[in-house]
Amino acid sequence: METTKRYTARLFSLEVLGILIAIAFLVPFYFVLTNSFKPFAELLANTTSLPKAFSLHNYTEAWRIMRFPTVFMNSLIITIASNVGLVIISSMAAYRMVRNNSRLNQVLFMLFVSAMIIPFESIMIPLVKLAGTVGFLNHIWGVILCYFGFGVSLNLFLYHGFVKSIPLEVEEAAIVDGSSTFGVFWRIVFPLLKPVTVTIVLLNSLWIWNDFLLPLLIISGPETRTIPLATYSFFGQYMKQWDLALAALTLGVLPIILFFLAMQKHIVEGITAGSIKG
Amino acid sequence: MESASKKRLYQLLFIGPAVFFFVIIVVIPFFMSIYYSFTEWNGVSTTVTWIGIENYKKILFHDSDYYKSFVFTFRYAITGVLLTNLVGFLLALLLTQALKLRNILRTIFFMPNVIGGLLLGFIWSFIFVKGFASIGEHTGLAFFNLPWLGDAPTAFWGVVIVTVWKGAGYVMVIYIAGLTNVPKDLIEAARIDGATKLQMLYKITVPLIMPSITVCLFLTLSWGFKVFDLIVSLTKGGPFNSTESVSLNIYQEAFRNNALGLGSAKAVIFFLIVALITVVQVTITKKREVES
């Protein structure tokens, strides 16, 4: 047995190996961050060194050109609203499907699950036409409603697995006390679903915040752009201006990195739980 | 007990919204896509002409670009899946040792994954163009002085490098979970029986973490086949279309060339192939899962 967990020479060399790999992993961040503070000439002359003076000039320019506050808010609204909608519709549906396991609901569940293998590319063409006809184009609400449809399969699947593990007894007690099915769900079951809700919200957030193709198809105007879209059009205009571009990239990457660092324990747990259930 | 009418009401109230959005956003467009694939349609005019399997014929016999994009996507997906899982698994083996910096290292390896493919691609295009050149200058290593995004073979590996850098941390997390669940007494028993480290890995660890392998292969395969944003920002499909993914090819056909009928046919073929591959992969690896 490994009761004697001494810090051996072998462990030490593995530790060094880990640190070396970690440095290799972080090099891209180093390059982007340090060069984003340099004036263009310095960036070209010396890409590897630290900046001579930390100038925020690139950042203020990039902030202004990409309209950072607007696009940040758009990304935030889309991510939050999509999450709220997805959690509500998929938790309710999953709950009902487990508790009322009729033939119809079994068929529906199979449909939701099998639709997960449809790649987005296979539906995007009619979807854009459809969105155009209903007037969804260039509205962030159009994007949000699309995420409801695309996310519901996986979310329902994860909730479905979790609801099955909730004992019926607690609900029966509430029903005896005169609570309606609706009340039982929101007051008793939904709070019990919290662990899986956290998982789902985190997975959805990473996906929706970073998504590029769907917003690219639905959104065109600068007012409704998300962070990936704004970054994309920024690069179209300032292709070779690496000084501004790197500041814009850092601004774009920063919110999700901060979110990750704050939530990392839950994100890692969520991925683990989600993958084992799946 | 619920009465029949209440039952219907609750069915509608609870399941209705999910079904509604699912049908409007996924099911209807999916069938429309199949319908459009048999038509000629530029997306602008109101006339959609039924032309039978003409689009499919055109793609199969005359569209070398689509064919080329499939070859790229296959090569890319397979290389990416193998390397991402290999690196992720090795990182997981490393980080299940009693290292002091274990938690920080996990965070660092996972971090690239939270950044979207588009921004990652832009970050790396800077690294390939300026960063690598600069490292090459300082170290004199030929590896860093290659024309990374300017040449077809190196551009392929450029995309693969970024893919592994992004994905390895994600599968690492899943493999760590799998490895921690391998019962210690089994390993111990094997050691007493005189099994070598490699034997233990192949005969005990790998079969026992088969569920993790199933999930990781499934995830990395579907990432690989659907790659779009990373390509857009890293190479735009170039040089000479050598890194154009199927996804990008479909997008260009439908929204750049305004050939929505043809694009739909490409999308349907893409769906069939992706569905086939993922189903086959999951069936095969599921069969190899064992109970501990």
Side-chain angles (χ1 to χ4, degrees), chain B residues 182-192 200 204 208 291-292:
Chain B
V182 173
K184 291 277 174 298
D185 47 342
L186 271 180
I187 302 270
E188 198 50 41
R191 185 177 310 166
I192 292 167
M200 287 195 272
I204 297 169
L208 282 177
E291 297 284 322
S292 56

Side-chain angles (χ1 to χ4, degrees), chain A residues 1 7 10-11 14-15 18-19 21-22 25-26 28-29 31-32 35 44 47-48 89 92-93 95-97 100 104-105 111-112 115 117-119 121-130 145-146 148-150 152-153 180-182 185 210 212-213 216-217 228 232 235 242 246 249 252-253 256-257 260-261 264 268 271-272 275, chain B residues 2 7 10-11 13-15 17-19 21-22 24-26 29-30 32-33 36 41 43 91 94 97-101 105 107-112 114-116 118-119 122-127 130-131 134-135 138 165 170 173-174 177 188 191 215 226 228-229 232 236 247 250-251 254-255 260 263-264 267 270-271 275 278:
Chain A
M1 289 298 274
Y7 198 70
R10 183 177 156 273
L11 275 180
L14 286 177
E15 193 101 55
I19 294 169
I21 306 174
F25 256 74
L26 290 175
F29 293 112
F31 272 103
V32 169
N35 284 298
L44 287 184
T47 320
T48 333
I89 64 174
M92 289 180 80
Y95 170 69
R96 186 70 191 171
M97 283 180 177
N100 179 23
L104 171 70
N105 282 346
L111 261 177
F112 276 105
I117 57 170
I118 302 178
E121 291 76 6
S122 302
I123 32 187
M124 69 181 176
I125 297 171
L127 187 77
V128 172
K129 294 317 287 180
L130 215 61
L145 294 180
C146 287
F148 288 2
F150 290 127
V152 70
S153 281
S180 69
T181 306
F182 199 66
F185 177 73
N210 288 324
F212 172 60
L213 187 48
L216 177 71
L217 294 171
Y232 179 62
F235 269 79
W242 280 114
L246 292 180
L249 271 180
V253 167
I256 194 76
I257 293 276
F260 164 63
L261 291 177
Q264 58 156 315
V268 167
I271 288 167
T272 317
S275 71
Chain B
E2 293 172 356
K7 223 171 184 161
Y10 282 131
Q11 179 80 6
L13 198 67
F14 277 79
I15 299 185
V19 172
F21 286 108
F22 178 65
I24 300 282
I25 309 288
V26 178
F30 180 66
M32 279 168 80
S33 200
Y36 285 141
W41 180 40
L91 291 178
L94 179 68
Q97 310 288 319
L99 300 187
K100 287 200 162 58
L101 293 174
L105 291 175
T107 307
I108 292 173
F109 296 147
F110 186 82
M111 197 152 64
V114 300
I115 305 170
L118 186 90
L119 276 76
F122 283 133
I123 290 178
W124 272 89
S125 65
F126 178 71
I127 304 302
K130 299 247 116 238
S134 168
I135 298 177
H138 283 86
W165 183 72
Y170 198 100
V173 167
I174 299 173
E188 198 50 41
R191 185 177 310 166
V215 174
K226 294 178 202 168
F228 178 81
D229 40 10
V232 167
K236 289 196 170 62
S247 203
I250 297 173
Y251 174 82
F255 301 109
L260 276 80
S264 299
F270 183 53
F271 160 73
T278 41

